[in-house]
Amino acid sequence: MIKMKTILLLGLILSVLSCEKNELKKPTKITFEFNTDQSISIVIDINTIEFTLSELNISGKRIKGDPINFTRSLTTPLQLNLNGVSQPELDFDIPQGDYTELLVSFKNETNNTTPSIFINGNYKLTLGPIVDVIIELNSEHIFSVPTNFNGKNSITLEKSTKKKIITTLNYGYWLSSISSTDLDNADLTIGNSGQGLGNSTILINSTNNIDLFNKFVANLNGNNSAKIE
């Protein structure tokens, strides 16, 4: 009789654990939005920012349940809408649960002909006219941004509730190391060679004004942020 009760109790425990495990596998829909931020003062007046995405990854840890790690590789690279509009191509279903960590990682498209990060702006030379400033990145760069849970240590994701992760790219910080002196002393492309709209352009990329390009790349992972709501 005692043995039968033990078997029944073990069966009940295993049944409860199985149900709990199945519950932890049920999906929560996550949508993604991207914004830009220029809370840091810079010397370039920015007109346009373009970012072409090739891959998005979301990883996380839960109080119960296995960690998650999902990657969306885009067959056709996606030019991000940086105005806080959800992009259905990036929707994810991730298991529900109490998360203590969610990390958003993504990388730009690598293309030798068209820059995947393109920034266009203007700068008034200290002893000269207003010139175009064009910043280009063609090489791969991986961005990793931890998600803020509004000051809490964890967040509960439930199968019946859609959540949105808003990632903000702080281009002000990206360009904050480039000073007026840097731009005044930069090499000018006269006549633009097809670049820009004015008479001259400060072209910043892997082959032009390389010292300024390196300052830009060094700051790419700084001060970007993500929040969930």
Side-chain angles (χ1 to χ4, degrees), residues 6 30 51 56 122 146 154 174 191 195 206 223:
T6 302
I30 300 289
F51 192 116
L56 177 70
N122 304 102
S154 64
W174 296 355
Q195 304 282 349
S206 59
N223 280 41

Side-chain angles (χ1 to χ4, degrees), residues 14-26 64-65 96:
L14 290 173
S15 177
V16 170
L17 290 175
S18 177
C19 289
E20 186 178 62
K21 190 173 182 180
N22 288 335
E23 280 296 312
L24 288 171
K25 290 181 178 179
K26 291 184 177 179
K64 292 182 180 180
Q96 68 174 354

Side-chain angles (χ1 to χ4, degrees), residues 1 37 39 44 58 89 153-154 158-159 180 187 221:
M1 187 70 173
D37 176 48
S39 55
I44 304 169
I58 183 167
E89 300 92 336
N153 294 325
S154 64
E158 299 175 321
K159 64 180 183 295
S180 295
D187 293 332
N221 269 350

Side-chain angles (χ1 to χ4, degrees), residues 13 41 84 137:
I13 292 170
S41 178
L137 180 69

